[in-house]
């Protein structure tokens, strides 16, 4: 009853959704998932998705990268051009 009340769906409709006798709309699923503290994918699959982590790096906290001109790259790090192989 608490779930039905919190998502503004009748208790009968919640029971029908649980019994899979009706297919709820996306807006209903969003409200139910929000009330249960999960997402739609977990409601549909029955499995919680792994939590994704977002890392924010502020501009002044980024590592600096030195840029070199072609004439400054040491030979051992320079890309070698491809040479054609003589055909048969």
């Amino acid at each position: 009853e608490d779930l039905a009340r919190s998502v503004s769906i009748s208790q009968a409709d919640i029971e029908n959704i649980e019994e899979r006798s009706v297919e709820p709309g996306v807006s209903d699923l969003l409200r139910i998932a929000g009330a249960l503290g999960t997402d739609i994918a977990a409601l549909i699959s029955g499995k919680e998705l792994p939590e994704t982590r977002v890392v924010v790096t502020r501009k002044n906290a980024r590592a600096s990268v030195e840029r070199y001109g072609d004439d400054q790259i040491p030979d051992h790090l320079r890309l070698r051009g491809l040479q054609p192989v003589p055909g048969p």
Side-chain angles (χ1 to χ4, degrees):
E1 289 181 22
D2 291 339
L3 176 61
R5 193 173 17 260
S6 69
V7 296
S8 302
I9 298 174
S10 72
Q11 181 63 36
D13 284 345
I14 294 289
E15 290 170 8
N16 288 335
I17 293 169
E18 289 174 338
E19 295 166 3
R20 297 184 179 180
S21 60
V22 298
E23 292 184 13
V26 173
S27 61
D28 291 339
L29 287 175
L30 283 170
R31 290 197 316 265
I32 293 168
L36 296 174
T38 189
D39 57 27
I40 290 178
L43 290 179
I44 294 170
S45 70
K47 299 177 199 170
E48 288 289 329
L49 296 177
E51 187 174 315
T52 56
R53 202 176 92 150
V54 175
V55 176
V56 176
T57 304
R58 302 285 178 223
K59 186 175 182 176
N60 60 353
R62 294 180 190 157
S64 65
V65 176
E66 289 188 45
R67 305 212 183 256
Y68 295 98
D70 280 347
D71 59 331
Q72 296 174 315
I73 299 174
D75 282 339
H76 70 282
L77 296 177
R78 191 178 302 274
L79 294 176
R80 304 281 185 231
L82 298 176
Q83 301 297 321
V85 176

